[in-house]
Amino acid sequence: MKLSVHSKSFERNVVLLLVFVLISVPLAVAADDYTAARRTMVGEIEADVELTSSYIGADELDQRVMTAMGTVPRHEFVPDEMRRYAYENRPLPIGYGQTISQPYIVALMTDLLDPAPEHSVLEVGTGSGYQAAIMAELVANVYTIEIVEELGSRATRDLARLGYDNVEVRIGDGYHGWESVSPFDSILVAAAASHIPPPLLRQLKPGGRMIIPVGSRFLTQYLVLVEKSFDGVVKTHQILPVRFVPLTGGHD
Ligand code: SAH
């Protein structure tokens, strides 16, 4: 009798253990898949940074930026059919003719803005919301503007679902910036413009930085770092050639 009670509870424990293993192993494998893929992606970004070190004047990016790249789930920001490519170091289509930028470019642009925990940052071109999430890991507040309503709504939903409550998304034309929450410590423009939008320059704090791809759709575009000094003088530096979707809204 005693033996059979013992063996019943033993059996039950075995069953419980089995159920636990059956449930947790696939979960752990799924989590591991992305963790490993993300680590590989971070390694590829580091390699690209070294390859382009003569352009960017450094052979590594800020450790905080790299930690954010290794943390944010990029697969949550791409359409389902793109998930398996989510950690490849390249841009991916996100619908409406738009793309999520290449991870190396996201990391580089973020790094060039020197994000600090107390900063308030404006992004023009929310797209998937991925770049905003990276920035949100590093600064106090992110304000991001998207011109395609469907993309803006999807990004708003995804960012909220993932708990990024320090990001505010607005649908509109980012050329004009976001006056009511300006000025910004830094501004990141994720679509190529023919010129630096004057409203964005005005909304940048003295001592602030802006990163923006400048050039036309078919000719070479350059990533340009804009620095506004404390006495209001603006200096620009061409960093490296890039390829972005155009800033729309008709401001040429
Ligand atoms: N940062 C994005 C990449 C977006 S691609 C990401 O991490 O996924 C550039 C985005 O800029 C596109 O979604 C495009 O619709 C948007 N865009 C283009 N012109 C714009 C404008 N004038 N104002 C706001 N968004 C604009």
Short mmCIF file of all heavy atoms in Angstrom, two decimals, residues 2 10 21 24 45-46 51 90-91 105 125 146 163 183-184 189 202 211 217 226 229:
data_model
loop_
_atom_site.label_atom_id
_atom_site.label_comp_id
_atom_site.label_asym_id
_atom_site.label_seq_id
_atom_site.Cartn_x
_atom_site.Cartn_y
_atom_site.Cartn_z
N LYS A 2 1.78 1.29 0.93
CA LYS A 2 2.67 2.44 1.04
C LYS A 2 3.45 2.64 -0.26
O LYS A 2 3.55 3.74 -0.80
CB LYS A 2 3.64 2.21 2.21
CG LYS A 2 4.08 3.51 2.80
CD LYS A 2 4.86 3.29 4.07
CE LYS A 2 5.34 4.65 4.55
NZ LYS A 2 6.48 4.55 5.41
N PHE A 10 5.13 9.37 -7.44
CA PHE A 10 6.32 9.39 -8.29
C PHE A 10 5.91 9.53 -9.76
O PHE A 10 6.41 10.37 -10.50
CB PHE A 10 7.12 8.09 -8.06
CG PHE A 10 8.34 7.99 -8.93
CD1 PHE A 10 9.48 8.75 -8.65
CD2 PHE A 10 8.34 7.15 -10.05
CE1 PHE A 10 10.59 8.66 -9.47
CE2 PHE A 10 9.46 7.07 -10.87
CZ PHE A 10 10.59 7.81 -10.57
N VAL A 21 8.82 19.81 -19.37
CA VAL A 21 9.87 19.75 -20.40
C VAL A 21 9.27 20.00 -21.78
O VAL A 21 9.80 20.77 -22.57
CB VAL A 21 10.60 18.37 -20.34
CG1 VAL A 21 11.45 18.17 -21.59
CG2 VAL A 21 11.46 18.29 -19.09
N SER A 24 8.43 23.77 -21.89
CA SER A 24 9.51 24.75 -21.76
C SER A 24 10.61 24.58 -22.80
O SER A 24 11.21 25.57 -23.20
CB SER A 24 10.09 24.72 -20.37
OG SER A 24 10.69 23.47 -20.16
N ILE A 45 27.50 43.84 -37.25
CA ILE A 45 27.56 45.31 -37.15
C ILE A 45 28.98 45.73 -36.75
O ILE A 45 29.55 46.65 -37.35
CB ILE A 45 26.53 45.83 -36.13
CG1 ILE A 45 25.11 45.51 -36.59
CG2 ILE A 45 26.69 47.34 -35.92
CD1 ILE A 45 24.03 45.79 -35.56
N GLU A 46 29.54 45.03 -35.77
CA GLU A 46 30.91 45.37 -35.33
C GLU A 46 31.90 45.25 -36.49
O GLU A 46 32.78 46.10 -36.65
CB GLU A 46 31.33 44.45 -34.17
CG GLU A 46 30.66 44.84 -32.86
CD GLU A 46 30.76 43.77 -31.76
OE1 GLU A 46 31.24 42.65 -32.05
OE2 GLU A 46 30.35 44.07 -30.64
N LEU A 51 35.13 47.92 -40.86
CA LEU A 51 35.37 48.13 -42.30
C LEU A 51 35.21 49.59 -42.70
O LEU A 51 35.84 50.05 -43.64
CB LEU A 51 34.36 47.30 -43.12
CG LEU A 51 34.68 45.83 -43.31
CD1 LEU A 51 33.51 45.13 -44.01
CD2 LEU A 51 35.95 45.67 -44.14
N ARG A 90 20.66 43.66 -43.05
CA ARG A 90 20.24 44.35 -44.28
C ARG A 90 18.85 44.94 -44.09
O ARG A 90 18.11 44.52 -43.19
CB ARG A 90 20.27 43.39 -45.46
CG ARG A 90 19.37 42.18 -45.29
CD ARG A 90 19.42 41.34 -46.56
NE ARG A 90 18.73 40.08 -46.46
CZ ARG A 90 17.60 39.79 -47.08
NH1 ARG A 90 16.98 40.71 -47.81
NH2 ARG A 90 17.05 38.60 -46.97
N PRO A 91 18.51 45.91 -44.97
CA PRO A 91 17.15 46.46 -44.87
C PRO A 91 16.13 45.40 -45.31
O PRO A 91 16.47 44.49 -46.06
CB PRO A 91 17.17 47.64 -45.86
CG PRO A 91 18.39 47.49 -46.68
CD PRO A 91 19.30 46.50 -46.04
N ILE A 105 23.29 50.54 -40.10
CA ILE A 105 22.97 51.97 -40.28
C ILE A 105 22.20 52.50 -39.07
O ILE A 105 22.43 53.61 -38.61
CB ILE A 105 22.17 52.18 -41.60
CG1 ILE A 105 23.07 51.89 -42.82
CG2 ILE A 105 21.56 53.56 -41.68
CD1 ILE A 105 24.16 52.95 -43.06
N GLY A 125 10.15 59.68 -39.81
CA GLY A 125 10.11 58.42 -40.55
C GLY A 125 10.09 57.23 -39.60
O GLY A 125 11.06 56.47 -39.50
N GLU A 146 5.43 59.76 -38.68
CA GLU A 146 5.34 58.92 -39.88
C GLU A 146 4.25 59.48 -40.80
O GLU A 146 3.16 59.80 -40.35
CB GLU A 146 5.02 57.47 -39.48
CG GLU A 146 4.70 56.53 -40.63
CD GLU A 146 5.80 56.47 -41.70
OE1 GLU A 146 6.96 56.22 -41.35
OE2 GLU A 146 5.48 56.68 -42.89
N GLY A 163 6.00 47.47 -24.74
CA GLY A 163 6.25 48.21 -23.51
C GLY A 163 7.10 49.47 -23.66
O GLY A 163 7.60 49.99 -22.67
N PRO A 183 12.33 72.18 -27.98
CA PRO A 183 13.43 71.72 -28.83
C PRO A 183 13.95 70.33 -28.44
O PRO A 183 13.67 69.85 -27.34
CB PRO A 183 14.51 72.79 -28.57
CG PRO A 183 14.28 73.19 -27.15
CD PRO A 183 12.80 73.09 -26.93
N PHE A 184 14.72 69.74 -29.34
CA PHE A 184 15.22 68.38 -29.15
C PHE A 184 16.74 68.37 -28.96
O PHE A 184 17.44 69.19 -29.55
CB PHE A 184 14.85 67.52 -30.36
CG PHE A 184 13.37 67.51 -30.63
CD1 PHE A 184 12.83 68.31 -31.62
CD2 PHE A 184 12.52 66.72 -29.87
CE1 PHE A 184 11.46 68.33 -31.86
CE2 PHE A 184 11.15 66.73 -30.09
CZ PHE A 184 10.61 67.54 -31.09
N VAL A 189 16.67 61.70 -38.97
CA VAL A 189 15.79 61.64 -40.14
C VAL A 189 16.09 60.34 -40.87
O VAL A 189 17.24 60.07 -41.24
CB VAL A 189 15.98 62.87 -41.07
CG1 VAL A 189 15.00 62.81 -42.24
CG2 VAL A 189 15.80 64.17 -40.28
N ARG A 202 15.64 74.57 -36.67
CA ARG A 202 15.14 75.49 -35.64
C ARG A 202 14.77 74.74 -34.36
O ARG A 202 14.94 75.26 -33.27
CB ARG A 202 13.90 76.24 -36.15
CG ARG A 202 14.20 77.44 -37.03
CD ARG A 202 13.00 78.36 -37.13
NE ARG A 202 11.85 77.72 -37.76
CZ ARG A 202 11.67 77.63 -39.08
NH1 ARG A 202 12.55 78.13 -39.91
NH2 ARG A 202 10.60 77.03 -39.58
N ILE A 211 21.08 63.82 -37.54
CA ILE A 211 21.67 62.93 -38.54
C ILE A 211 20.61 62.75 -39.64
O ILE A 211 19.45 62.47 -39.34
CB ILE A 211 22.16 61.60 -37.91
CG1 ILE A 211 22.93 60.77 -38.92
CG2 ILE A 211 21.05 60.78 -37.31
CD1 ILE A 211 24.37 61.12 -39.02
N ARG A 217 16.88 60.76 -55.02
CA ARG A 217 16.49 59.36 -55.04
C ARG A 217 17.46 58.51 -55.86
O ARG A 217 17.76 57.38 -55.50
CB ARG A 217 15.08 59.27 -55.63
CG ARG A 217 14.58 57.88 -55.70
CD ARG A 217 13.10 57.85 -55.90
NE ARG A 217 12.58 56.59 -55.43
CZ ARG A 217 11.31 56.34 -55.26
NH1 ARG A 217 10.42 57.27 -55.49
NH2 ARG A 217 10.90 55.17 -54.85
N VAL A 226 24.80 66.92 -38.57
CA VAL A 226 24.65 68.37 -38.43
C VAL A 226 24.87 68.69 -36.95
O VAL A 226 24.26 68.07 -36.08
CB VAL A 226 23.22 68.80 -38.83
CG1 VAL A 226 23.04 70.31 -38.70
CG2 VAL A 226 22.88 68.31 -40.24
N SER A 229 26.06 74.61 -32.76
CA SER A 229 26.88 74.98 -31.60
C SER A 229 26.05 75.78 -30.60
O SER A 229 24.92 76.19 -30.90
CB SER A 229 28.09 75.80 -32.06
OG SER A 229 27.64 77.08 -32.41
#
